Amino acid sequence: MLTSNLLAAATAPLQWSPTVGAIMIICNIIAIAFAKFKVTYPKTGPELPSSNFFGGFGLPGLLATTSFGHLLGVGVILGLHNLGNI
């Protein structure tokens, strides 16, 4: 019975589209901009070849901010899909 209730509550799968990609890119840019003002030591660890394109972060800072950006993007995309806007 629990399985049938879970299957009934499932939504239609979300297909990738350029809109979904644009939302993910925007969320990553927002995360980098947010971290640029909040991270105390952004240049620790190995440096990136063109770090000015990534907010002046080193490799660990870039990985951390883009991970946060992807979590933010997944939340926004699934939220918009659940509302029916995507």
Side-chain angles (χ1 to χ4, degrees), residues 11-82:
T11 61
L14 177 64
Q15 296 294 322
W16 186 90
S17 67
T19 304
V20 172
I23 291 171
M24 185 62 75
I25 291 170
I26 290 168
C27 287
N28 276 294
I29 291 171
I30 290 170
I32 290 171
F34 177 74
K36 185 172 176 118
F37 295 109
K38 296 294 180 184
V39 173
T40 308
Y41 304 109
K43 295 188 179 199
T44 56
E47 292 188 20
L48 296 172
S50 298
S51 64
N52 57 345
F53 290 121
F54 302 108
F57 290 107
L59 182 61
L62 178 70
L63 291 175
T65 56
T66 54
S67 295
F68 173 64
H70 276 75
L71 289 173
L72 185 66
V74 166
V76 169
I77 290 167
L78 290 177
L80 289 173
H81 178 65
N82 192 27

Side-chain angles (χ1 to χ4, degrees), residues 2-17:
L2 180 63
T3 305
S4 63
N5 288 340
L6 288 175
L7 290 175
T11 61
L14 177 64
Q15 296 294 322
W16 186 90
S17 67

